[in-house]
Amino acid sequence: MPDNLKVSVNQLRGYCDPKIFKFKDTSEVEPLAGTIGQQRAVDALDFSLKVKTQGYNLFAAGPAGTGKETTIKSHVEKLAQPEEVPCDWAYVYNFKDADRPLAISLDAGKANDFAKDMDELIDGVKNEIPRAFEGEDYEKRKNRILASLQEQRDASLNKMQKMAEKQGFSIEITTAGIVTIPIHQGKPLKREDFDTLPSKQKADIQEKSEDLQLKINELFRKLRTNEKKARQEVKDLDKEITNFAIGHLLEELKQKYADNRKIIDYLDDIQRDIILNLKDFTAKQEGQIPGLEFLTKKPNFSKYKVNVLVDNSSQQGAPVVTEENPTYYNLMGKIEFRAELGAMSTGFNMIKPGAVHRANGGYLILRALDVLLNPFSYDALKRVLRNQEIKIENMGEQYRALPAATLKPESIDVNIKVILTGSPYIYQILFQLDEDFRKLFKVKADFNTEMDRTDEHSEKYAQFIASRVSTQNLKHFNPLGVAKVVEYGSQLASDQIKLSTRFADIADLVSEASYWASQNHNDTVKAEDVNKALSKKKFRSNMIEEKIQEYIKRDIFMIELAGEVVGQINSLSVLSVGDYTFGKPSKVTARISLGKKGVINVEREVKMGGPIYNKGVMILSGYLHGKYGYNKPLSLDASLTFEQEYGGVEGDSASSTELYAILSALADIPIKQSFAVTGSVNQQGEIQPIGGVNYKIEGFFDVCKHKGLTGEQGIIIPKQNVENLMLKQEVIDAVKDGRFQIYAIKTIDEGIEMLTGKKAGEQQEDGTYPVGTIHFLVDKKLRAFAERLAKYEKAA
């Protein structure tokens, strides 16, 4: 085998030198402050938060475990700290329209003071008004008005009586009004006596009665006017006394809140309402019948209370709110109802705030998926951002079959920055399908899953470990233990020069390694504790992998690791089972025959192949036509399949493997079964890098180990994937001892030479290939196929 293609032991893993850490253990390391490797996202975050123009809200996109929420929350809280504390908000009773409570904004921390002031005001009114109306001065003035009215009433009645007597009538006051009765011979004239009088006399009495009734009605009208005037004088007196009694209380509040026009107007409304409802403050509560208290109408003093919606008295800087359960009500607030006497009732005091209210003037952090999964939440959030105001209305109010009377609180102005977190997939869906999303979330912060592996970032890993140890009360790590965690970071990134930013996984490893250090009675976490944590983590999840390895060992899954076979090769694939990923070898076979269909892929024909896999197979046809079809038609049927594959195939990492099988079948040259191959190929025959190279190598190594390592076994990978190698120590030791080999190639020609032991052959000036080479034999077979097919068609 050519040594220049062999991957050296030093290239198999990106080791971390513990000497870069200048500490005895992480107790000497300052815990991490800030973020690691997410400068692009932090720049986007800074830009979004500092631009005050409408629509510059942020969507933080990245896989789970990259520290999106932790980074955002810590950064936003730091930025919000020096900002101005936003105003408080309160709802009060609307005396002009009870169904539309008024929203009042106050300086931060003043809403509770205002509510307390209003409670004290009403308590003061309850004390001052009864005292004022029980005073001697009030009684005298009221009695004077009533006495004057009585005198006028008596004078009017006397005048009526004298007027009637002069006309020969008497007056009788009944519930129906004043009745005039004729006097005859000094006695009231009865109806039957009146009927016996001469007609002329009756007519004379009737005429006098009507004239007298008109004069009496005029006097009675003046009497009613005087009574109305007296009642108004009493009301004016009550108003004067009330204003005198409570005026100083209201004036104090008006002076205190002189800069808030809405509160001044509200206090004026309260003053008018108190005057209109004086009985509530002056009437003494009568005894109640036990068990029937609910039938007694009580004064409604709750309308004078203040419903403090948002209290920022303890807030320092702008608020930063994270809503873990963004239901419609939790975001937008709600109007609660209470059951009373078999019916549901509500009031302005039962208006409750949502996360948007609490975050008003600051920042609101939400998980995009949670918002989308909760009915009405996303639409309501967009409406708030679009209109820059929030209206509290119960969910589905607009979908009622019949309109129902309920509260319609005044809307509140909103100045808020919303930060949504979610996967890049959610971002793309919203960006493509929702025009509002593009206008409202103009800034995207991409959270990377990896960062450059530098000494600085390795030290940041140590700081992260120190933070985790401190917050979770774990054991500290020594330099070797930290170095193993750094190597695990590169393993997660599948790259020797990168480190993973999936700190959720790193944090789990730190916790588990600390546990095993305790089990091993170690004072600090060492490298072997980290290795134990990783091996145990694998053991908890690799049952399916071990089942597959067992089936291969028992030849249930048929994988050959010795000998040579024409048109057969070992391929490698990657399987994911939840949080566990592993490599699995598969047998790929190719059968060649005369025909015109070209490359026939069984998986594609039965629709078990994905689009990328099918593309890779079609590239094989392009390679064959470009390599051998320049002077003849390709007349072959090449059937390709993954043997014993029942779950579908996707990806193009096996395209080079399939091409080797086809070339072997065409050249009738066997392939060494001790090798497994991975790598995609283009139409020029260049090997392209693939993913999951570490899983594939370790998966094939485990198969070889179970069947017995011979030193002949190995794997061929793309040259570009060498930097991605982060193999387990067991594989490295086997390579070091010569029991397992890893080769890296750039072209199909290099691969076919290793697999067959024969030269691939370079095309000569006349278009032919050197005799005995792989390409010569393939070209010869294809030429024979073309001639045979031509003869067959001619004969037919």
Side-chain angles (χ1 to χ4, degrees):
M1 294 294 173
D3 291 337
N4 65 312
L5 300 181
K6 185 180 291 187
V7 180
S8 68
V9 174
N10 294 333
Q11 293 176 292
L12 299 181
R13 184 175 181 87
Y15 289 101
C16 176
D17 186 357
K19 293 180 181 180
I20 67 172
F21 304 118
K22 309 300 182 183
F23 52 80
K24 182 179 178 181
D25 59 52
T26 50
S27 63
E28 302 174 2
V29 178
E30 183 178 352
L32 180 67
T35 59
I36 315 175
Q38 300 293 359
Q39 190 56 48
R40 184 191 305 274
V42 171
D43 287 347
L45 185 59
D46 277 339
F47 174 73
S48 171
L49 300 184
K50 292 177 181 178
V51 174
K52 302 304 180 183
T53 309
Q54 183 181 7
Y56 281 84
N57 300 290
L58 179 86
F59 191 102
T66 53
K68 294 191 302 295
E69 295 181 12
T70 303
T71 299
I72 288 170
K73 190 171 183 180
S74 62
H75 198 76
V76 172
E77 287 176 347
K78 182 179 178 181
L79 192 69
Q81 189 67 30
E83 293 187 8
E84 182 181 355
V85 178
C87 62
D88 291 349
W89 283 94
Y91 272 110
V92 296
Y93 186 78
N94 187 344
F95 293 97
K96 296 182 177 68
D97 188 346
D99 289 339
R100 297 181 180 273
L102 301 174
I104 295 179
S105 66
L106 301 98
D107 292 339
K110 297 296 183 183
N112 277 330
D113 291 344
F114 180 53
K116 184 179 179 181
D117 288 341
M118 289 306 304
D119 290 341
E120 292 177 352
L121 170 67
I122 299 306
D123 289 340
V125 170
K126 291 178 182 178
N127 292 326
E128 293 293 335
I129 288 182
R131 185 182 302 129
F133 280 88
E134 290 171 1
E136 184 179 346
D137 180 63
Y138 172 74
E139 288 298 330
K140 286 181 178 180
R141 294 178 64 181
K142 181 178 180 181
N143 290 336
R144 192 179 304 129
I145 295 172
L146 296 178
S148 175
L149 176 62
Q150 189 62 43
E151 289 177 1
Q152 293 174 3
R153 184 185 292 115
D154 292 343
S156 296
L157 289 176
N158 289 335
K159 187 175 182 180
M160 291 179 198
Q161 191 67 40
K162 290 178 180 179
M163 189 185 302
E165 289 176 355
K166 187 177 180 180
Q167 296 292 331
F169 288 86
S170 67
I171 294 177
E172 184 176 340
I173 300 176
T174 68
T175 55
I178 298 178
V179 179
T180 56
I181 301 173
I183 301 297
H184 184 66
Q185 294 179 352
K187 296 180 180 179
L189 186 63
K190 296 180 180 180
R191 169 59 63 181
E192 55 270 20
D193 294 335
F194 177 77
D195 292 339
T196 62
L197 294 176
S199 298
K200 184 178 180 182
Q201 189 176 0
K202 287 195 294 185
D204 184 53
I205 292 172
Q206 187 70 32
E207 183 180 353
K208 289 180 179 180
S209 175
E210 291 176 358
D211 181 62
L212 178 60
Q213 190 66 47
L214 289 174
K215 293 178 180 179
I216 290 173
N217 288 343
E218 178 64 21
L219 287 173
F220 200 64
R221 185 188 63 77
K222 290 180 179 180
L223 181 60
R224 286 197 301 270
T225 301
N226 290 336
E227 289 177 348
K228 184 177 180 181
K229 182 180 179 182
R231 285 196 299 270
Q232 185 61 46
E233 288 178 358
V234 172
K235 287 183 179 181
D236 291 342
L237 175 61
D238 290 347
K239 182 177 180 181
E240 178 186 342
I241 296 299
T242 301
N243 287 335
F244 179 78
I246 67 173
H248 66 284
L249 299 176
L250 289 166
E251 192 59 35
E252 289 177 7
L253 291 182
K254 288 182 179 180
Q255 290 178 3
K256 183 175 181 179
Y257 299 99
D259 58 343
N260 195 317
R261 183 67 249 177
K262 209 163 188 178
I263 291 182
I264 300 300
D265 294 340
Y266 173 65
L267 292 174
D268 289 339
D269 290 340
I270 283 183
Q271 187 171 5
R272 285 189 288 269
D273 188 76
I274 290 174
I275 293 170
L276 290 174
N277 297 279
L278 274 176
K279 289 182 179 180
D280 291 345
F281 296 91
T282 58
K284 295 181 179 180
Q285 295 298 312
E286 299 178 356
Q288 298 176 345
I289 303 173
L292 298 178
E293 293 86 353
F294 64 91
L295 294 176
T296 304
K297 185 177 180 181
K298 298 178 182 178
N300 179 20
F301 295 120
S302 63
K303 62 182 175 181
Y304 303 116
K305 286 189 170 294
V306 175
N307 179 9
V308 178
L309 198 72
V310 178
D311 173 29
N312 287 317
S313 58
S314 60
Q315 183 67 41
Q316 295 181 352
V320 179
V321 177
T322 301
E323 180 53 60
E324 298 292 342
N325 183 24
T327 63
Y328 175 86
Y329 290 133
N330 286 350
L331 278 180
M332 301 295 142
K334 57 188 173 182
I335 303 171
E336 294 182 341
F337 285 79
R338 181 185 295 115
E340 290 183 351
L341 302 178
M344 303 301 290
S345 63
T346 188
F348 78 97
N349 284 312
M350 300 176 73
I351 300 173
K352 304 300 178 184
V356 174
H357 297 93
R358 299 194 304 276
N360 195 6
Y363 308 92
L364 178 61
I365 303 172
L366 302 168
R367 294 189 186 95
L369 183 60
D370 292 341
V371 174
L372 293 171
L373 290 177
N374 280 287
F376 305 107
S377 291
Y378 181 60
D379 288 336
L381 181 64
K382 290 194 299 179
R383 192 159 51 246
V384 167
L385 296 177
R386 189 168 52 242
N387 301 331
Q388 293 189 302
E389 66 175 20
I390 181 170
K391 294 181 180 179
I392 298 180
E393 56 182 3
N394 282 351
M395 184 170 62
E397 194 70 37
Q398 62 271 39
Y399 297 104
R400 288 181 183 270
L402 295 173
T406 186
L407 296 182
K408 296 185 181 297
E410 184 181 8
S411 61
I412 291 176
D413 294 337
V414 169
N415 177 23
I416 191 174
K417 282 284 184 180
V418 175
I419 302 167
L420 292 180
T421 65
S423 68
Y425 178 70
I426 292 177
Y427 176 84
Q428 293 299 333
I429 288 178
L430 291 174
F431 188 85
Q432 294 295 331
L433 301 181
D434 185 3
E435 292 183 1
D436 289 336
F437 179 80
R438 305 179 201 177
K439 298 175 183 177
L440 298 174
F441 292 88
K442 295 182 179 181
V443 183
K444 177 187 178 185
D446 269 321
F447 278 76
N448 202 348
T449 58
E450 61 185 26
M451 61 185 175
D452 292 337
R453 179 171 160 177
T454 62
D455 288 351
E456 179 187 356
H457 285 159
S458 296
E459 290 170 0
K460 291 286 187 181
Y461 254 52
Q463 289 182 285
F464 175 79
I465 293 171
S467 299
R468 180 73 176 177
V469 167
S470 176
T471 56
Q472 301 296 320
N473 194 26
L474 305 174
K475 285 185 176 294
H476 282 285
F477 282 58
N478 67 15
L480 285 170
V482 174
K484 281 297 176 184
V485 175
V486 171
E487 291 177 18
Y488 178 67
S490 288
Q491 189 174 330
L492 286 177
S494 295
D495 200 320
Q496 296 178 3
I497 62 173
K498 296 290 183 180
L499 284 174
S500 174
T501 58
R502 289 157 52 187
F503 289 103
D505 294 334
I506 303 297
D508 291 343
L509 176 60
V510 171
S511 299
E512 293 171 22
S514 175
Y515 168 78
W516 289 111
S518 298
Q519 295 298 108
N520 295 332
H521 305 290
N522 293 330
D523 295 331
T524 59
V525 180
K526 302 177 180 179
E528 54 265 30
D529 299 318
V530 177
N531 288 333
K532 183 70 172 290
L534 290 172
S535 64
K536 287 294 185 180
K537 180 180 177 68
K538 178 179 179 179
F539 178 73
R540 294 193 296 269
S541 304
N542 73 339
M543 184 182 70
I544 294 178
E545 179 187 22
E546 289 190 349
K547 287 286 186 184
I548 292 175
Q549 294 287 346
E550 179 188 349
Y551 291 163
I552 293 174
K553 185 178 181 181
R554 295 167 57 190
D555 289 329
I556 297 174
F557 288 162
M558 295 185 291
I559 301 294
E560 297 182 33
L561 299 177
E564 299 179 349
V565 180
V566 173
Q568 178 177 302
I569 189 170
N570 293 320
S571 177
L572 297 167
S573 58
V574 175
L575 299 181
S576 291
V577 185
D579 64 338
Y580 186 70
T581 304
F582 61 93
K584 167 185 172 293
S586 301
K587 182 191 294 186
V588 172
T589 60
R591 297 300 298 270
I592 304 299
S593 64
L594 184 66
K596 292 184 176 181
K597 294 181 180 179
V599 179
I600 303 170
N601 178 257
V602 174
E603 278 73 25
R604 183 176 64 180
E605 294 297 319
V606 298
K607 295 182 172 55
M608 287 178 62
I612 299 175
Y613 173 72
N614 292 334
K615 175 187 175 183
V617 172
M618 296 180 72
I619 287 174
L620 303 186
S621 296
Y623 173 85
L624 294 174
H625 281 85
K627 195 76 173 177
Y628 310 110
Y630 62 96
N631 57 5
K632 58 185 171 301
L634 296 188
S635 308
L636 82 158
D637 288 348
S639 175
L640 279 171
T641 189
F642 278 78
E643 303 291 355
Q644 293 184 289
E645 179 58 58
Y646 310 110
V649 183
E650 177 59 315
D652 65 350
S653 66
S655 56
S656 66
T657 313
E658 293 170 318
L659 182 54
Y660 292 137
I662 292 174
L663 294 177
S664 169
L666 285 170
D668 201 24
I669 299 295
I671 289 175
K672 298 174 183 179
Q673 300 301 293
S674 58
F675 281 101
V677 180
T678 185
S680 69
V681 65
N682 61 28
Q683 294 188 123
Q684 304 299 324
E686 298 170 325
I687 301 298
Q688 301 171 145
I690 45 82
V693 64
N694 293 300
Y695 299 120
K696 293 176 179 179
I697 293 174
E698 292 175 358
F700 185 67
F701 172 81
D702 288 342
V703 172
C704 296
K705 181 181 69 173
H706 291 150
K707 288 201 170 189
L709 292 170
T710 64
E712 298 296 323
Q713 297 137 340
I715 187 168
I716 300 173
I717 64 172
K719 182 72 174 179
Q720 300 94 319
N721 283 121
V722 171
E723 285 189 341
N724 301 121
L725 296 179
M726 285 298 297
L727 298 171
K728 60 185 180 180
Q729 193 61 42
E730 187 180 10
V731 178
I732 298 172
D733 292 341
V735 172
K736 185 178 181 180
D737 296 339
R739 293 179 291 123
F740 191 74
Q741 312 297 328
I742 299 176
Y743 296 91
I745 61 173
K746 292 183 179 179
T747 65
I748 283 291
D749 288 356
E750 291 177 344
I752 198 67
E753 288 179 355
M754 292 183 63
L755 292 168
T756 62
K758 290 186 175 294
K759 289 289 185 181
E762 293 186 8
Q763 194 173 31
Q764 303 176 105
E765 292 183 1
D766 60 355
T768 62
Y769 295 94
V771 177
T773 62
I774 296 293
H775 292 312
F776 172 82
L777 296 173
V778 171
D779 187 63
K780 181 180 178 181
K781 176 67 69 69
L782 291 173
R783 185 180 300 278
F785 275 2
E787 292 172 354
R788 197 177 306 165
L789 182 63
K791 290 180 181 179
Y792 176 80
E793 290 179 341
K794 184 177 181 180

